[in-house]
């Protein structure tokens, strides 16, 4: 009897892990980030689309925030500080240090 509860618990954990992995993959698949010589474009969403466009001459600084897991798996949040009070957070960016370097090098 104890074995059946253990298998049910293991199957439930596996199902939850698969659902979370699928959700993360879907969000990543629906996210577009482009850095050109003139602007940074960030678009995210499937049905409800959210996009941010910042011109390079309006960018003052780029901040990167990474947690311990973010450092291990190389992802993090990037915040673009524009002229004036513009503050554009980009959540869960893959390779955020390389992204920051691309933005600041242009």
């Amino acid at each position: 009897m104890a074995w059946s509860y253990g298998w049910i618990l293991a199957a439930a954990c596996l199902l939850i892990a698969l659902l979370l992995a699928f959700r993360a993959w879907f969000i990543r698949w629906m996210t577009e980030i482009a850095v050109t010589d003139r602007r940074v474009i960030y678009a995210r969403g499937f049905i409800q689309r959210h996009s941010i466009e910042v011109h390079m001459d309006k960018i003052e600084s780029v901040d990167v925030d990474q947690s311990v897991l973010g450092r291990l798996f190389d992802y993090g949040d990037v915040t673009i500080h524009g002229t004036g009070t513009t503050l554009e957070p980009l959540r869960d960016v893959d390779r955020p240090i390389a992204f920051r370097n691309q933005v600041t090098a242009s």
Side-chain angles (χ1 to χ4, degrees):
M1 197 66 165
W3 276 78
S4 63
Y5 291 127
W7 283 106
I8 292 171
L9 181 62
C13 288
L14 178 64
L15 181 64
I16 291 170
L18 288 175
L19 288 173
L20 290 174
F22 176 76
R23 179 182 176 272
W25 169 82
F26 188 73
I27 289 171
R28 183 177 173 140
W29 183 60
M30 294 308 304
T31 302
E32 301 172 37
I33 300 175
V35 178
T36 68
D37 60 336
R38 296 182 183 174
R39 59 190 173 177
V40 176
I41 303 166
Y42 176 80
R44 182 179 205 164
F46 180 62
I47 295 173
Q48 182 179 354
R49 195 80 166 150
H50 175 73
S51 63
I52 297 169
E53 182 176 321
V54 180
H55 292 277
M56 286 294 194
D57 59 343
K58 302 293 183 189
I59 295 175
E60 288 182 348
S61 66
V62 181
D63 296 338
V64 174
D65 295 314
Q66 286 182 297
S67 63
V68 174
L69 282 176
R71 296 278 296 162
L72 288 173
F73 295 111
D74 203 13
Y75 73 91
D77 297 336
V78 176
T79 305
I80 297 176
H81 296 273
T83 56
T85 59
T86 307
L87 182 71
E88 298 297 342
L90 311 177
R91 304 281 178 226
D92 299 327
V93 174
D94 185 29
R95 296 179 302 146
I97 302 295
F99 178 78
R100 181 195 63 198
N101 293 341
Q102 264 193 324
V103 171
T104 56
S106 297

